[in-house]
Amino acid sequence: MAEIQIDSALGSALTKILESEEIQPGQDVSYETCKLLWQFHPLGGKLVEKPISMAMCKPRHYSVETDPDERVVRRFQEVWERLEMNEKIKNFFFICRCYGAAAIGVGTTTTSCKEPLPTFGLSEEEVYINVWDPLNAAGSMVTDQNPNSPYFQKANRTLKISSKNWHHSRTLKIFNGTPIYLEYQNSAFGFTGRSVFQRVLYSMKSYVGTMVANDLVSQKAGVLVAKVQQNGSKISGIMAAATGKKREFVKEARNKGVLSIAPDESIESLNLQNIDSALNTSRDNIISDIASGSDVPAILIKEEAFSKGWSEGSEDSKAISQYIDGVRQLIEPVMDYFEKLVQYIAWSEDFYTSLKNDYPDIINENYTTTFYRWRREFTAKWQELVEESPDNRREADSKVIQQAVAVYSALSPTLDPENRASLADWVAGVANGTQTYGDLPLIIDVEALAKYIPPAPQEQPNGNYKPGGEEEES
């Protein structure tokens, strides 16, 4: 029987996982195992990072209603990018998915971390943001297990990092999954959420076994089997040398080469058809088990191409889009927290003063009032993951405008001039609201249109009417 041997002296992390007899179905996952899987397992990065990376692959769209020349939004985006907020938030959720719990804190160099986070007067230079895993926050993220407590199944408000307390206004704590009562998680050192690897640990081990099998198959794929006539037991030295030379010719032969063999001899490749089928089936089943035990769809784990493009509206793209929308809902509260933080930093009093000097007619209130008005008008939206093709978008915009024109044609003959002008302005607004025609807006002077009286048609000598008073030659 063939036997697979792995050199234990290599100390490979994946070898530890493969050879670990303690890993059985339903086995609890430890902090160290989660780290190894995330670092070295081929699917570890996809389970931890893929959903978050896809959800945040496009920047959010920001707008402020009373924003002169979009300078308020641009200032916000510049500070957001310099603080590397997207990378911090991604890392926050990566750690949470890997270990089952994570924390993030906003520190300031001018005030102690145990004090509340300042609001107005924050500068970009004094702010720093740290992301902590359960080992950094061990002991302070344990949920309250008292069923009568107002903080039941919630983490402690005060986070302790290396014996230093952090004020609750500075920190956020999240769990991957809902904490289960009296269920201790080894990966997170507490009664918290669970790692994304918790339910798929055994399948992840099995996947490593398919990698070893693939390596063995790749080594055997180039083996040639030469079926040659065997010589008798009393083989002469000359015949032995000729047979050895023939093997050398087979080994060194390349394209366009010619080999001479006897009629009853043949040269074939090693038949691996049955192995190939068994390997593919086993690998697909293992990936399906991993997808079933985690929250990541199998199509994202396999990185297969969709049967149709995103814009085609296929069932695959719809399912993935719905899944990513769910991930974005989990990220939304964290985005809101840091967007409010960046607003205090970006929309400083110095920025307000410079903007007021440039636009005194628009910025005519004091700093505090203007800041809170910008905050009320501030909107942040995720961009659509499924992008519509330009042709489909133009066709849809054309249908919308045609419907608006049909409404105008049906109502305008029965309306007075003022309402007819308002209806024309509404049609222009519909056209300007489309992506196809929004870059070249149609602007209508409603007051002038309401006062406009078209010239009356004049009667011609032959009884015909022609606009403008021009006579038609008979």
Side-chain angles (χ1 to χ4, degrees), residues 157-172:
R157 295 189 68 191
T158 301
L159 192 67
K160 182 176 289 187
I161 305 295
S162 298
S163 72
K164 287 188 176 182
N165 293 331
W166 283 68
H167 193 269
H168 62 85
S169 64
R170 295 175 174 267
T171 62
L172 290 177

Side-chain angles (χ1 to χ4, degrees), residues 427-438:
V427 174
V430 172
N432 297 338
T434 61
Q435 295 186 17
T436 304
Y437 306 100

Side-chain angles (χ1 to χ4, degrees), residues 79-378:
V79 175
W80 182 275
E81 292 174 0
R82 285 198 296 268
L83 291 176
E84 299 180 345
M85 293 308 311
N86 283 337
E87 299 305 319
K88 300 287 186 180
I89 295 174
K90 284 181 182 179
N91 193 26
F92 182 37
F93 281 92
F94 290 166
I95 291 177
C96 175
R97 290 178 61 83
C98 179
Y99 301 108
I104 190 170
V106 180
T108 48
T109 57
T110 56
T111 56
S112 173
C113 58
K114 65 181 179 181
E115 300 295 333
L117 179 65
T119 54
F120 291 105
L122 271 177
S123 65
E124 189 175 340
E125 293 76 16
E126 66 175 315
V127 172
Y128 62 93
I129 300 171
N130 292 341
V131 181
W132 301 296
D133 70 5
L135 186 59
N136 303 132
S140 72
M141 290 186 65
V142 179
T143 56
D144 191 341
Q145 297 298 295
N146 180 7
N148 296 316
S149 171
Y151 302 105
F152 177 59
Q153 294 289 61
K154 296 179 182 178
N156 298 332
R157 295 189 68 191
T158 301
L159 192 67
K160 182 176 289 187
I161 305 295
S162 298
S163 72
K164 287 188 176 182
N165 293 331
W166 283 68
H167 193 269
H168 62 85
S169 64
R170 295 175 174 267
T171 62
L172 290 177
K173 300 171 282 290
I174 56 172
F175 299 143
N176 183 57
T178 304
I180 300 176
Y181 180 58
L182 294 181
E183 184 63 28
Y184 185 86
Q185 303 295 332
N186 291 325
S187 60
F189 302 109
F191 300 95
T192 65
R194 72 215 99 262
S195 169
V196 72
F197 303 125
Q198 178 69 49
R199 300 186 182 98
V200 297
L201 180 60
Y202 190 76
S203 298
M204 298 286 280
K205 173 185 176 182
S206 301
Y207 187 88
V208 178
T210 64
M211 294 170 54
V212 177
N214 281 337
D215 180 66
L216 293 176
V217 171
S218 66
Q219 295 181 26
K220 302 298 181 182
V223 174
L224 296 179
V225 179
K227 298 180 180 180
V228 298
Q229 183 178 4
Q230 298 295 325
N231 298 299
S233 57
K234 297 181 179 179
I235 183 173
S236 64
I238 296 177
M239 292 298 296
T243 302
K245 198 67 175 177
K246 185 181 294 186
R247 287 196 299 269
E248 290 295 327
F249 287 156
V250 172
K251 182 178 179 180
E252 296 175 1
R254 298 292 185 271
N255 290 339
K256 299 182 180 181
V258 179
L259 288 175
S260 176
I261 60 176
D264 55 348
E265 297 177 346
S266 65
I267 300 175
E268 303 174 357
S269 62
L270 195 63
N271 188 355
L272 299 175
Q273 291 182 354
N274 295 332
I275 296 178
D276 180 67
S277 176
L279 269 179
N280 290 337
T281 302
S282 175
R283 193 184 192 90
D284 290 342
N285 290 339
I286 291 173
I287 292 178
S288 297
D289 291 341
I290 293 174
S292 299
S294 66
D295 62 343
V296 183
I299 193 170
L300 295 184
I301 299 177
K302 293 181 180 180
E303 293 282 3
E304 291 181 346
F306 294 110
S307 58
K308 294 182 179 180
W310 283 102
S311 61
E312 299 296 331
S314 66
E315 294 302 319
D316 287 345
S317 63
K318 289 180 181 178
I320 298 301
S321 180
Q322 293 174 356
Y323 168 72
I324 296 301
D325 287 341
V327 176
R328 285 176 169 177
Q329 290 181 5
L330 298 176
I331 302 175
E332 187 81 26
V334 179
M335 298 291 288
D336 291 341
Y337 174 85
F338 284 105
E339 284 168 355
K340 288 182 173 61
L341 171 68
V342 174
Q343 288 171 5
Y344 284 115
I345 301 173
W347 301 339
S348 62
E349 193 166 359
D350 292 338
F351 171 74
Y352 157 80
T353 303
S354 64
L355 202 61
K356 184 176 182 179
N357 294 333
D358 295 338
Y359 302 93
D361 296 336
I362 300 176
I363 311 298
N364 51 20
E365 298 175 323
N366 60 46
Y367 168 61
T368 305
T369 304
T370 303
F371 176 87
Y372 283 115
R373 176 163 53 83
W374 287 343
R375 171 167 285 185
R376 287 194 306 269
E377 297 174 352
F378 181 83

Side-chain angles (χ1 to χ4, degrees), residues 421-429 432 441-450:
S422 298
L423 183 62
D425 184 60
W426 172 78
V427 174
N432 297 338
L442 174 61
I443 301 175
I444 295 179
D445 190 340
V446 179
E447 296 182 0
L449 183 60

